[in-house]
Amino acid sequence: MPETPFAPVILGNEPGSFPHSVLAERHPAIIRQVRDAFPYGPGQHRALDELLESCAEGTVAPLPADAPDRAAWHEWGLAEYAGRSWFDLPWLWSESYFYRRLLEVVGYFAPGPWRGIDPFRPVKRAELDAPETGRELAALDGLRDLPEPERGEALLHGSLWGNRADLGFRLSAAGAEAREPVPALVADDSEPLWSLLPPGGAATLVLVADNAGRELVPDLLLIAHLLAGGRIARAVLHVKPYPYYVSDATMADVLDALELLRTAPGAAGEHGRLLRSAMADGRLAVRAHPFSCAPLPYERMPEELRAEFAGATLTLFKGDLNYRRLVGDRRWPPTTPFAAATAYFPGPVAALRTLKSEVITGLTAATEARLVAAADQRWRTDGTHALIQVSRPAPAAT
């Protein structure tokens, strides 16, 4: 395997760069959206205004002494980064801590009536209830008569392109969903993925989810298809333990999606009832590990999470943020092998991702040249390109 090259960690302090625009433009827009979502009180409005000012020209503030996860965040870097500019820190860390602070200022963790109220729930529900979602579910009926390989491929690509349904991305990228996706994937390891999940096996799939709503629904449909077809015996769905990155899925979002499926007509309803049954008998489990909201790459995952991934037949990471955490949020040369960037991972791993940030690995030189010639560097961030990548760990030496 080629030696992994050095790649610097991405910061947000370069004016005009994509990370800088997220910190300077997307985060203030999200604060304004959250402010309008609920009838928050004067104290919450003042705290939101202070966070807005901090994002523009301030520094990272510490968590309150009684914050339930203060010790974890100190271990994750807060002790070192408090008092420094948001822009001068690793971009992954700054983004993640912004969402943690946003929950703090609206009272998500504090005793009182706002405790546990998801500030992003109104936009999540609006998307789940949108007519587009109903049309996508109705389209499942047209897959019934397809041969299994074609049906599986359609559901895999439904899960892949569902990653375009990212509320935070669409908030800062006007017209994102109106842009036509490019059908040719920048990397396509579909065949190795299917080879890890042969029919009639006893495979365990771990799916690390990304967004709720119109992305989580096709993720669940893919799981239902794999269970029904005997390609997996068990699935474990990892979601976030609390609201994160606007539309990231929590257990509440899983329940909303399952209820939508269960009550839908046709094939969608059949899938929904299969999934509820699978949860009841243990074939489908849901996890919400604290590290899912850590501002760190998965290379630094705790041992109990490493052991769970090591025991899976395949761990499938969905979405852009999970990709950044899987390979490391670094300025990799695009031709860096995906296997090299994930060599630390304890078992077979796959990524399904629509490109919405600059990080990329696993491209051929010809593919990179073609993409740059066609769209300069916009292909990295505009949500029109996607990939399926798979890596298996090398056999242990004997």
Side-chain angles (χ1 to χ4, degrees):
M1 179 182 297
E3 182 179 348
T4 305
F6 170 76
V9 171
I10 295 176
L11 307 179
N13 57 4
E14 181 183 340
S17 69
F18 182 73
H20 189 278
S21 71
V22 169
L23 297 174
E25 300 167 17
R26 182 185 298 183
H27 288 180
I30 288 169
I31 292 172
R32 290 188 285 270
Q33 181 190 65
V34 166
R35 184 187 180 104
D36 294 339
F38 286 110
Y40 290 122
Q44 290 158 312
H45 284 164
R46 284 193 297 271
L48 285 166
D49 290 341
E50 290 170 3
L51 181 59
L52 182 63
E53 183 179 354
S54 169
C55 288
E57 53 193 44
T59 59
V60 169
L63 290 174
D66 59 351
D69 53 353
R70 188 171 184 268
W73 274 95
H74 271 248
E75 184 180 335
W76 294 340
L78 181 57
E80 176 185 356
Y81 293 152
R84 295 175 58 182
S85 167
W86 293 90
F87 294 89
D88 293 337
L89 303 179
W91 180 44
L92 175 64
W93 198 96
S94 291
E95 266 202 295
S96 299
Y97 191 62
F98 164 77
Y99 287 100
R100 176 58 184 83
R101 287 288 300 146
L102 184 58
L103 293 181
E104 191 70 41
V105 302
V106 297
Y108 182 88
F109 293 103
W114 291 100
R115 185 183 184 96
I117 301 298
D118 183 349
F120 311 123
R121 182 169 174 77
V123 289
K124 288 179 177 178
R125 283 298 322 182
E127 183 190 72
L128 199 61
D129 296 337
E132 294 86 350
T133 307
R135 289 195 291 270
E136 289 163 2
L137 293 183
L140 287 172
D141 293 341
L143 302 181
R144 289 179 189 268
D145 297 330
L146 292 178
E148 194 284 330
E150 293 180 31
R151 192 163 63 251
E153 198 72 14
L155 290 168
L156 179 67
H157 279 256
S159 178
L160 169 64
W161 286 109
N163 189 225
R164 279 165 61 86
D166 178 332
L167 296 168
F169 167 69
R170 283 154 49 194
L171 187 64
S172 62
E177 283 204 320
R179 299 178 193 137
E180 285 298 316
V182 177
L185 303 185
V186 301
D188 187 359
D189 290 343
S190 299
E191 289 188 15
L193 188 153
W194 290 120
S195 72
L196 287 163
L197 305 173
T204 294
L205 173 71
V206 174
L207 194 155
V208 182
D210 189 22
N211 296 308
R214 287 173 58 204
E215 178 172 359
L216 183 60
V217 167
D219 292 345
L220 290 169
L221 292 171
L222 177 61
I223 289 173
H225 171 77
L226 296 174
L227 286 170
R231 283 186 175 269
I232 62 173
R234 184 169 179 266
V236 182
L237 179 68
H238 278 252
V239 297
K240 302 298 190 295
Y242 51 76
Y244 198 56
Y245 278 71
V246 183
S247 55
D248 281 28
T250 65
M251 185 61 188
D253 300 314
V254 173
L255 296 176
D256 285 344
L258 286 173
E259 184 62 12
L260 176 73
L261 289 172
R262 185 187 69 83
T263 57
E270 294 170 12
H271 285 308
R273 290 184 286 276
L274 183 152
L275 290 166
R276 282 182 64 98
S277 174
M279 287 190 73
D281 63 26
R283 288 176 294 148
L284 172 58
V286 183
R287 301 272 189 270
H289 195 284
F291 193 76
S292 294
C293 289
L296 304 173
Y298 270 94
E299 190 171 11
R300 295 177 59 180
M301 73 181 95
E303 286 305 313
E304 72 272 15
L305 199 54
R306 181 178 295 273
E308 179 173 350
F309 292 153
T313 309
L314 175 65
T315 300
L316 177 59
F317 282 84
K318 279 297 309 291
D320 203 78
L321 173 61
N322 283 330
Y323 189 87
R324 291 164 57 193
R325 295 186 66 198
L326 177 63
V327 303
D329 202 36
R330 296 175 175 270
R331 297 194 182 280
W332 296 110
T335 54
T336 303
F338 177 68
T342 58
Y344 69 90
F345 204 80
V349 62
L352 263 63
R353 172 211 182 193
T354 301
L355 277 59
K356 292 174 291 190
S357 68
E358 294 172 330
V359 178
I360 186 70
T361 66
L363 301 189
T364 66
T367 296
E368 182 192 5
R370 174 177 55 80
L371 291 167
V372 172
D376 192 27
Q377 296 295 336
R378 293 189 303 278
W379 57 272
R380 292 175 179 252
T381 59
D382 67 5
T384 59
H385 293 76
L387 60 79
I388 300 172
Q389 291 176 321
V390 175
S391 177
R392 307 188 196 199
T398 56

